[in-house]
Amino acid sequence: MRVINLSQKEIPRKWYNLLADLPWDLPAVLHPATNEPVSEDDLAPVFARELIRQEFTKERWIEIPEPVLEVYGSWRPTPLRRALALEKALNTPARIYFKDESVSPTGSHKPNTAVAQAYYNRREGVKRITTETGAGQWGSAMAFASSKFDLECRVFMVRVSYEQKPYRKVMMRIWGADVVPSPSKETNSGRKILEADPNSPGSLGIAISEAVESAVQDPDTRYVLGSVLNHVLLHQSIIGLELEKQLAMIGEKPDVMIGCVGGGSNFGGFVYPFIPKKLHGEEIEFIAVEPKACPTLTEGQYRYDFGDTAGLTPLLKMFTLGYDFVPSPIHAGGLRYHGMAPVVSLLVEKGIVTPRAYGQDEVFESAVMFAKAEGIVPAPESAHAVKCAIDEAIACREEGREKVIVFALSGHGLFDLSAYERFLNGEL
Ligand SMILES: *Cc1c(COP(=O)(O)O)cnc(C)c1O
């Protein structure tokens, strides 16, 4: 079978929480002022209550609310596809499958959590959402989700992207969001940066500081985050849960599972249901792929660090390059984060997940090969997983082994064509 589809009745009705089944405790989240573990009350001015509860719970299954399922139903279940043409092009005995999250309204996996977060905020009477976005993937997911639940949405967008990537901004405005270039004059953190450098290009860390600051100032406003945190990975488990059913339908078991990692949410959600199988002795290799320009897992340290640049957020134990790390402006904007989800970090530390890093040119080369074979133009982020899958398939050819390789295609690259143009012109 080339496309493995579930029926709409088969959309999972519960998210899976891996924290219930890990033999280790996740290190506590620490308050930046006291270095003591944070309480749920400490976080209440920032996040919706239910999301804070989900952040710390060890409940194994969490019911997906009906209104969230209804929105999921407009694009889920997503297809599992066999990359037959790519297999042929590589002349490999491996069977390559990919879970295609590019079919969502915004073209990536991000609405899986955006819709849930918008729903809970609305249910708790929140009127306005603030968040940040780099290239615009998360901002557009949150703009879409907010429009579904009648929330106002204000997105602080890193100024260089605001100026250089106009189309995601337009998308956000179509769904009714207010897009503000960051640093802005609307917050203390923004004004401080602008005083020092009126032409500051901005950064994701600065935009986070602005979005958090403007949320805590208003009792009707809350902040939302698109990756890294436990509740985000929980919502993304819908990817892995569907995949489990799809693989069972065709009687396949994965030997290698591959995903790209920025903050770790698409990879986390993709592998969550499969991690306990490995803990119980099944042989599955999990590979988390990152850019060499932002080598959090392959070269960072496992220690406590801030989530933002201003040092305002709680301290998370994670792999980090340091909260003041500024990666070079590669085109995989979603993979330019200094830290990594604490769960993914722990799995790497314990040797369950293996990290790997690739350079930008080899990633785009693989992306073009994949697009020629399968017809889908991958997001530059997702292309990191594509590159790794191709390498694994070539190794299978060389060793004469018939592995089942499954990777997550986290999104399409149709808003990243200027990056592809530069690659094709030899200008990267
Ligand atoms: C945001 C994004 C990523 C990186 O985020 P994770 O939380 O690591 O998944 C990867 N791929 C796409 C298409 C994205 O939009």
Side-chain angles (χ1 to χ4, degrees):
M1 243 192 303
R2 188 74 189 264
V3 184
I4 300 98
N5 278 322
L6 297 174
S7 76
Q8 288 218 297
K9 285 199 305 268
E10 293 168 289
I11 296 182
R13 304 188 72 85
K14 289 174 182 165
W15 293 300
Y16 169 64
N17 181 11
L18 178 63
L19 296 183
D21 291 318
L22 282 184
W24 317 281
D25 276 330
L26 213 52
V29 178
L30 303 182
H31 196 290
T34 62
N35 266 2
E36 294 294 319
V38 291
S39 68
E40 298 200 4
D41 286 341
D42 290 332
L43 298 174
V46 183
F47 294 107
R49 275 281 173 187
E50 175 60 20
L51 296 171
I52 299 171
R53 191 190 74 79
Q54 290 180 3
E55 187 61 25
F56 295 107
T57 186
K58 283 191 169 182
E59 231 175 291
R60 182 169 291 111
W61 296 101
I62 302 212
E63 198 94 28
I64 306 176
E66 203 57 44
V68 173
L69 280 171
E70 210 170 282
V71 181
Y72 276 0
S74 67
W75 77 93
R76 306 207 70 86
T78 62
L80 175 67
R81 303 186 197 274
R82 173 129 181 227
L84 259 184
L86 182 65
E87 290 171 21
K88 282 215 182 91
L90 293 168
N91 191 24
T92 177
R95 294 191 292 286
I96 308 174
Y97 297 90
F98 60 100
K99 179 70 168 157
D100 185 1
E101 290 296 309
S102 78
V103 298
S104 80
T106 66
S108 82
H109 65 289
K110 288 198 170 77
N112 295 334
T113 184
V115 171
Q117 296 194 46
Y119 167 75
Y120 289 120
N121 273 285
R122 176 70 199 190
R123 199 180 69 179
E124 292 174 24
V126 171
K127 296 201 172 72
R128 202 169 307 102
I129 289 297
T130 62
T131 195
E132 74 289 332
T133 198
Q137 287 273 20
W138 172 241
S140 41
M142 211 51 233
F144 161 73
S146 299
S147 78
K148 286 284 154 192
F149 294 102
D150 286 325
L151 283 161
E152 286 174 39
C153 177
R154 164 161 280 198
V155 182
F156 289 90
M157 184 171 189
V158 176
R159 184 179 295 271
V160 278
S161 307
Y162 183 91
E163 283 160 5
Q164 288 173 2
K165 303 193 171 173
Y167 296 119
R168 287 242 168 230
K169 175 176 72 191
V170 175
M171 213 172 167
M172 290 183 252
R173 290 180 55 205
I174 287 173
W175 283 311
D178 178 19
V179 188
V180 183
S182 164
S184 77
K185 288 188 176 149
E186 299 193 14
T187 64
N188 286 327
S189 352
R191 284 188 291 269
K192 215 186 273 172
I193 303 271
L194 286 176
E195 266 164 38
D197 175 9
N199 297 317
S200 165
S203 74
L204 209 50
I206 296 169
I208 295 177
S209 308
E210 288 207 275
V212 172
E213 185 187 321
S214 70
V216 296
Q217 278 169 355
D218 176 4
D220 291 330
T221 303
R222 292 289 180 282
Y223 168 73
V224 289
L225 192 60
S227 186
V228 181
L229 298 180
N230 300 338
H231 66 266
V232 178
L233 276 67
L234 170 76
H235 302 151
Q236 294 296 355
S237 70
I238 188 98
I239 302 172
L241 293 167
E242 285 180 6
L243 173 63
E244 211 179 8
K245 291 187 185 187
Q246 285 161 315
L247 289 173
M249 261 172 79
I250 52 170
E252 289 279 37
K253 277 191 179 170
D255 296 301
V256 190
M257 292 185 72
I258 301 164
C260 67
V261 285
S265 75
N266 87 85
F267 176 78
F270 174 68
V271 301
Y272 257 28
F274 296 85
I275 297 285
K277 299 181 203 286
K278 178 153 178 168
L279 295 173
H280 293 122
E282 260 183 55
E283 272 184 44
I284 311 179
E285 197 180 351
F286 300 107
I287 309 178
V289 190
E290 60 187 12
K292 276 190 178 154
C294 191
T296 312
L297 292 173
T298 48
E299 288 179 38
Q301 293 172 322
Y302 187 51
R303 61 173 171 85
Y304 275 100
D305 199 5
F306 298 107
D308 68 330
T309 309
L312 298 173
T313 68
L315 293 155
L316 300 173
K317 180 125 187 226
M318 60 183 177
F319 274 91
T320 177
L321 294 162
Y323 69 99
D324 53 357
F325 178 81
V326 181
S328 66
I330 52 162
H331 292 284
L335 307 186
R336 295 177 64 235
Y337 183 63
H338 69 272
M340 187 57 64
V343 180
V344 173
S345 296
L346 183 66
L347 292 170
V348 169
E349 175 70 10
K350 298 292 181 187
I352 306 295
V353 168
T354 311
R356 195 180 287 182
Y358 288 116
Q360 181 159 253
D361 278 319
E362 53 186 347
V363 163
F364 271 92
E365 232 165 77
S366 299
V368 169
M369 181 183 199
F370 177 79
K372 279 182 180 157
E374 298 300 323
I376 300 173
V377 179
E381 292 85 356
S382 320
H384 287 72
V386 171
K387 162 67 180 160
C388 182
I390 288 176
D391 272 13
E392 289 295 303
I394 290 172
C396 285
R397 179 181 73 207
E398 286 167 356
E399 296 161 18
R401 293 187 61 182
E402 205 183 293
K403 286 188 188 172
V404 174
I405 299 169
V406 188
F407 71 90
L409 188 83
S410 53
H412 67 63
L414 297 179
F415 288 93
D416 302 279
L417 295 183
S418 61
Y420 277 94
E421 185 175 35
R422 294 181 63 178
F423 172 72
L424 296 172
N425 291 345
E427 296 164 1
L428 275 192

